[in-house]
Amino acid sequence: MHQPSCRMNDDEYQLLLRAAAVCHMSVAGFLARSALNAARDLNRTAADIAGEKEMLQELFALRRHLGQIGNNLNQVAKALNSGGNAPQAQAVLAAVQRAAKRVDAFTQQHLGNRTAA
């Protein structure tokens, strides 16, 4: 068995940790699978690989954003369910609509890029 190693900065390592967690894999397993997939398809360009990095970054940003909106939506629901007033309800619903549009635009762009490839 061989055990290669690599070096990365803190931001790269955090991105790697999140990606492995999203895939329900260990960091070592994620690295091995990713590296082997890349090695098996040497025709991929650096632009393809960079595009995937940008895609992952956008997905993580969307996930964080949706989590924040979910938090706000829960606060609105709690206030309304307890008979209180929720003046921020319209702003939260507008944020949900903007997030849905962002997810839709991202999905359409990504699917369009995959179809073109």
Side-chain angles (χ1 to χ4, degrees), residues 23-97:
C23 295
H24 305 290
M25 298 177 73
S26 67
V27 171
F30 184 82
L31 277 173
R33 175 173 259 179
S34 300
L36 291 171
N37 284 339
R40 288 184 184 111
D41 188 1
L42 295 176
N43 292 325
R44 292 178 61 208
T45 65
D48 292 335
I49 294 167
E52 287 180 10
K53 181 179 178 183
E54 290 170 357
M55 180 187 67
L56 281 175
Q57 289 172 334
E58 178 66 8
L59 285 172
F60 285 126
L62 283 169
R63 185 176 179 201
R64 279 191 309 275
H65 186 66
L66 289 172
Q68 293 165 346
I69 291 171
N71 232 0
N72 293 341
L73 195 55
N74 283 340
Q75 291 171 357
V76 167
K78 182 178 179 181
L80 293 175
N81 286 334
S82 67
N85 192 11
Q88 72 276 28
Q90 288 297 326
V92 171
L93 292 175
V96 168
Q97 290 173 333

